[in-house]
Amino acid sequence: MAKLYIVPTPIGNLDDITLRAVNVLREVDFILAEDTRTSSFLLKHLGIEKKLYAHHKFNEHGTVKMVAEWIAAGRDAALVSDAGTPGISDPGFLLVRTCVEEGIEVVTLPGATALIPALVQSGFPCDRFCFEGFLPQKKGRMKHLQSLVDETRTMIFYESPYRVVKCLEQFAGVFGEDRPVSVSREITKVFEQTVRGTVGEVLAHFRETPPKGEFVIVLGGKPKEKSPSARMEETDEDEE
């Protein structure tokens, strides 16, 4: 039976695409693209000519069944987004779920995604973290942030450059200005930059330097309170 391949694409630097991803894109019968113009540019760069179909958040509900039928009929398909891994803050979940329900094998290739580089280079704990993606733009935004007040894991957010300052202002109000934060922009691109510090310090930076590009915000989790026994042990050590 044919398969659905989930193929990550570069988030900036085109050299970040894997050899396996290139081979899959060459071999499948058709490619589903979030934006066919963006994907056409990538395929041209790779020297690949392949039939492209639009698959984005505005049409995916109406096309997933049809695509699943094409695959079930013996046509291998690849799903790509404009940048990064499909399904991570991008279209893909509905198609994957439909294929799983229809008994169609789904093969997900490893590859580029912005959240992991931003997390690792933040300098914050990486052993446990939570990915929050894009916050609600208006309704429910503050309520969602309030629900994270006691989160001890490192938190990762995607944000538009037009809302970075507003987001940091809300972080200051909810988590406090002293909470550590790392803001990365344009990851893998020419003007890649990471600004680290407290929420207050990073907020001051972006108030003076207007945010531009694609942003990932990594927020330190709430510090864990030490148990009474641990505090007593520290006191004993200090006395010695």
Side-chain angles (χ1 to χ4, degrees):
M1 182 180 289
K3 303 173 183 177
L4 169 66
Y5 292 89
I6 308 300
V7 182
T9 55
I11 58 176
N13 191 321
L14 296 183
D15 289 342
D16 288 336
I17 195 163
T18 67
L19 289 174
R20 186 183 177 198
V22 173
N23 289 333
V24 167
L25 293 176
R26 282 180 177 150
E27 294 169 3
V28 294
D29 296 297
F30 64 95
I31 298 172
L32 301 166
E34 182 180 5
D35 187 323
T36 55
R37 294 166 298 180
T38 301
S39 296
S40 293
F41 178 82
L42 175 63
L43 293 180
K44 184 177 181 180
H45 174 77
L46 299 173
I48 297 173
E49 293 186 8
K50 192 69 58 174
K51 181 64 179 178
L52 284 172
Y53 295 97
H55 184 82
H56 45 71
K57 64 180 181 180
F58 300 108
N59 74 350
E60 60 180 343
H61 285 83
T63 60
V64 290
K65 281 289 186 182
M66 178 179 65
V67 172
E69 290 174 0
W70 290 350
I71 300 172
R75 301 174 66 189
D76 284 315
L79 173 65
V80 299
S81 62
D82 289 350
T85 301
I88 306 298
S89 293
D90 279 321
F93 160 69
L94 287 176
L95 180 58
V96 170
R97 183 177 67 180
T98 300
C99 286
V100 169
E101 291 173 347
E102 298 292 331
I104 296 169
E105 185 175 355
V106 178
V107 179
T108 303
L109 278 61
T113 184
L115 70 98
I116 297 302
L119 169 64
V120 174
Q121 67 193 24
S122 71
F124 299 159
C126 303
D127 54 335
R128 297 179 69 244
F129 62 90
C130 60
F131 175 60
E132 294 296 323
F134 286 99
L135 289 166
Q137 291 187 24
K138 295 180 181 179
K139 187 176 180 181
R141 185 180 178 95
M142 289 303 296
K143 183 178 180 180
H144 186 79
L145 287 176
Q146 289 289 348
S147 73
L148 298 171
V149 167
D150 294 322
E151 178 59 69
T152 58
R153 295 172 294 178
T154 300
M155 293 166 274
I156 307 169
F157 304 84
Y158 286 165
E159 191 54 275
S160 158
Y162 307 108
R163 289 190 294 273
V164 166
V165 170
K166 175 184 176 181
C167 184
L168 291 170
E169 289 174 343
Q170 292 172 328
F171 281 9
V174 175
F175 304 105
E177 291 193 1
D178 294 331
R179 182 71 70 91
V181 69
S182 174
V183 179
S184 294
R185 72 180 190 92
E186 297 292 87
I187 293 175
T188 79
K189 300 177 184 178
V190 174
F191 298 105
E192 179 175 354
Q193 177 189 36
T194 295
V195 180
R196 305 176 183 85
T198 65
V199 170
E201 291 168 342
V202 176
L203 173 58
H205 169 82
F206 284 109
R207 278 175 172 164
E208 295 179 2
T209 307
K212 295 180 181 179
E214 305 274 338
F215 279 80
V216 184
I217 302 177
V218 184
L219 183 70
K222 180 180 179 180
K224 295 181 180 179
E225 294 184 2
K226 295 180 179 178
S227 65
S229 59
R231 289 196 293 268
M232 287 179 64
E233 288 177 3
E234 287 186 354
T235 302
D236 292 341
E237 290 176 359
D238 292 340
E239 291 177 351
E240 292 176 0

